[in-house]
């Protein structure tokens, strides 16, 4: 899918074809679309194609008057309405700054770019290429922060459910959130390095107002990195604590079962003894039917008393 947008009369508007000063949004484009846009914007096709590799890392590349910036953006990998749990991941997005246009390329449609295309972001001018790119970076950083808050909210909800019942389902959800935080932390660090490289002004000409936008984006990225690290530490500590609780509960259950086994062994011994065949089948006291029962009760009580005295019950 290929879309063309341009700021007209202060509002971002969708247009039908490529024109100077426009923004080209490409979502999972075909080879023909890549070649067409590369030719129209006069950029290397490899620049436009680079972000289609899901394993591509965040980086900046320049050639002639072309700039390729690849940054990772957050995506919802799995969302469950029933329990409120969500899993997040990141995918690369390419931003190509050509002589006359800005091109964004991604494997999936992102809410970040969709909000810009729908006019939800004020002050967007596609002709001001540097500022427009930095506004995209600022939106990406803001989306990371928002998703981190969603992870924290899901974690709190799952933690409350764990107080009531320790189930594998909740622990698996915590593991999924922990995995999302690892993805976020890795991607944010890569984005931070990329933005710092751009901030030096060696790969893209910076203007004073544009620098402020990039600095704001960099501050939010660093804040997101700190939040991801804090949430990861809290989640790791929580999972360790619950693992200890599960282990302790298992030890208590095994202790109770062992005590019951010891006590129940006494009746087996007594009734087994009185059930033996000796001589003609008569043993002392066989006429006293309550004797085995009395010995059993006394033996069980004595065993319970000794266990209680040693604080083993």
């Amino acid at each position: 899918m290929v879309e063309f947008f341009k700021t007209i009369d202060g509002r971002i508007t969708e247009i039908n074809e490529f024109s100077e000063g426009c923004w080209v949004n490409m979502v999972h484009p075909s080879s023909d679309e890549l070649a067409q846009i590369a030719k129209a914007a006069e950029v290397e096709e490899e620049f436009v194609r680079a972000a289609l590799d899901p394993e591509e890392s965040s980086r900046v590349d320049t050639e002639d008057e072309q700039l390729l910036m690849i940054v990772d953006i957050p995506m919802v990998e799995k969302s469950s309405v029933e329990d409120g749990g969500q899993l997040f991941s990141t995918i690369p997005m390419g931003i190509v700054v050509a002589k006359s246009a800005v091109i964004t390329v991604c494997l999936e449609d992102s809410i970040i770019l969709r909000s810009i295309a729908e006019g939800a972001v004020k002050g967007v001018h596609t002709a001001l290429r540097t500022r427009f790119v930095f506004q995209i970076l600022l939106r990406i950083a803001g989306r990371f922060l928002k998703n981190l808050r969603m992870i924290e909210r899901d974690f709190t909800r799952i933690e409350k459910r764990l107080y009531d019942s320790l189930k594998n389902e909740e622990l698996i959800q915590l593991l999924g959130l922990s995995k999302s935080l690892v993805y976020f932390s890795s991607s944010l660090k890569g984005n931070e390095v990329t933005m710092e490289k751009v901030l030096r002004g060696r790969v893209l000409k910076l203007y004073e107002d544009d620098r402020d936008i990039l600095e704001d984006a960099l501050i939010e990225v660093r804040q997101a990195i700190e939040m991801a690290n804090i949430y990861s530490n809290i989640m790791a500590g929580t999972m360790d604590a619950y693992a200890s609780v599960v282990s302790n509960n298992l030890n208590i259950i095994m202790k109770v079962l062992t005590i019951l086994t010891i006590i129940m062994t006494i009746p087996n011994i007594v009734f087994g003894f009185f059930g033996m065949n000796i001589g003609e089948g008569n043993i002392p006291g066989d006429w006293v039917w309550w004797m085995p029962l009395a010995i059993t009760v006394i033996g069980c009580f004595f065993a319970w008393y000794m266990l209680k005295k040693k604080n083993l019950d």
Side-chain angles (χ1 to χ4, degrees):
M1 181 182 69
V2 180
E3 298 173 306
F4 303 95
F5 299 93
K6 190 173 184 178
T7 302
I8 301 176
D9 296 331
R11 297 183 61 182
I12 191 164
T13 307
E14 186 173 1
I15 57 179
N16 297 324
E17 59 184 6
F18 182 89
S19 66
E20 186 174 354
C22 73
W23 162 39
V24 183
N25 181 32
M26 308 178 71
V27 179
H28 208 301
S30 63
S31 299
D32 293 338
E33 290 172 337
L34 288 171
Q36 179 184 357
I37 297 302
K39 182 177 179 181
E42 298 180 355
V43 296
E44 295 289 338
E45 186 174 340
E46 291 300 324
F47 271 30
V48 185
R49 190 185 298 273
L52 298 181
D53 182 4
E55 304 299 328
E56 190 72 34
S57 58
S58 182
R59 62 185 176 89
V60 177
D61 195 4
T62 58
E63 186 173 339
D64 298 334
E65 296 183 8
Q66 309 165 20
L67 170 69
L68 168 64
M69 185 186 306
I70 296 180
V71 292
D72 290 331
I73 62 174
M75 298 292 294
V76 178
E77 185 176 296
K78 179 182 177 182
S79 178
S80 176
V81 179
E82 295 180 357
D83 54 20
Q86 296 184 97
L87 296 180
F88 298 89
S89 61
T90 59
I91 59 174
M93 183 182 73
I95 304 175
V96 181
V97 182
K99 297 179 181 179
S100 58
V102 174
I103 306 170
T104 56
V105 188
C106 193
L107 286 171
E108 298 182 26
D109 194 13
S110 170
I111 190 174
I112 299 169
L113 299 180
R114 189 55 49 194
S115 62
I116 298 176
E118 293 175 354
V121 182
K122 296 181 180 180
V124 174
H125 296 277
T126 57
L128 303 177
R129 295 171 298 161
T130 302
R131 175 177 296 184
F132 180 57
V133 169
F134 292 168
Q135 286 174 328
I136 293 176
L137 296 178
L138 183 60
R139 294 290 296 180
I140 292 173
R143 175 55 56 175
F144 268 111
L145 287 173
K146 185 174 182 180
N147 287 353
L148 282 170
R149 295 188 185 98
M150 293 172 64
I151 290 176
E152 193 273 338
R153 186 177 65 246
D154 290 343
F155 168 69
T156 302
R157 186 183 297 112
I158 295 172
E159 187 180 20
K160 289 180 180 179
R161 291 207 302 266
L162 278 173
Y163 283 121
D164 300 328
S165 62
L166 293 173
K167 296 181 179 180
N168 291 337
E169 182 181 356
E170 281 77 14
L171 295 176
I172 291 174
Q173 289 176 359
L174 283 179
L175 184 62
L177 292 179
S178 179
K179 183 179 178 181
S180 299
L181 288 174
V182 172
Y183 287 146
F184 276 17
S185 180
S186 177
S187 297
L188 284 166
K189 289 177 182 178
N191 289 354
E192 180 188 23
V193 173
T194 300
M195 291 183 185
E196 287 177 344
K197 188 173 182 180
V198 175
L199 188 61
R200 298 189 189 103
R202 298 178 182 177
V203 296
L204 192 64
K205 185 177 180 180
L206 297 181
Y207 302 93
E208 193 61 31
D209 294 340
D210 301 340
R211 180 184 291 271
D212 292 339
I213 298 175
L214 182 58
E215 287 177 349
D216 291 341
L218 193 54
I219 290 173
E220 291 198 2
V221 165
R222 288 169 178 166
Q223 182 181 354
I225 292 174
E226 187 68 22
M227 288 176 61
N229 291 334
I230 292 174
Y231 292 160
S232 294
N233 293 334
I234 293 175
M235 200 168 298
T238 302
M239 293 185 69
D240 290 342
Y242 279 108
S244 299
V245 170
V246 171
S247 178
N248 185 57
N249 290 342
L250 180 60
N251 291 336
I252 293 175
I253 293 174
M254 294 302 298
K255 175 183 174 182
V256 172
L257 292 176
T258 302
I259 293 173
L260 290 176
T261 302
I262 294 174
I263 294 177
M264 292 302 296
T265 302
I266 297 175
N268 290 333
I269 296 174
V270 174
F271 290 115
F273 174 76
F274 278 90
M276 290 188 301
N277 293 322
I278 300 178
E280 297 179 357
N282 296 322
I283 60 175
D286 63 340
W287 53 274
V288 185
W289 63 268
W290 49 265
M291 183 178 295
L293 183 61
I295 295 174
T296 300
V297 172
I298 294 172
C300 290
F301 179 79
F302 179 75
W304 172 80
Y305 175 76
M306 293 301 296
L307 291 172
K308 185 176 180 62
K309 186 176 180 180
K310 295 182 179 296
N311 294 323
L312 294 177
D313 63 334

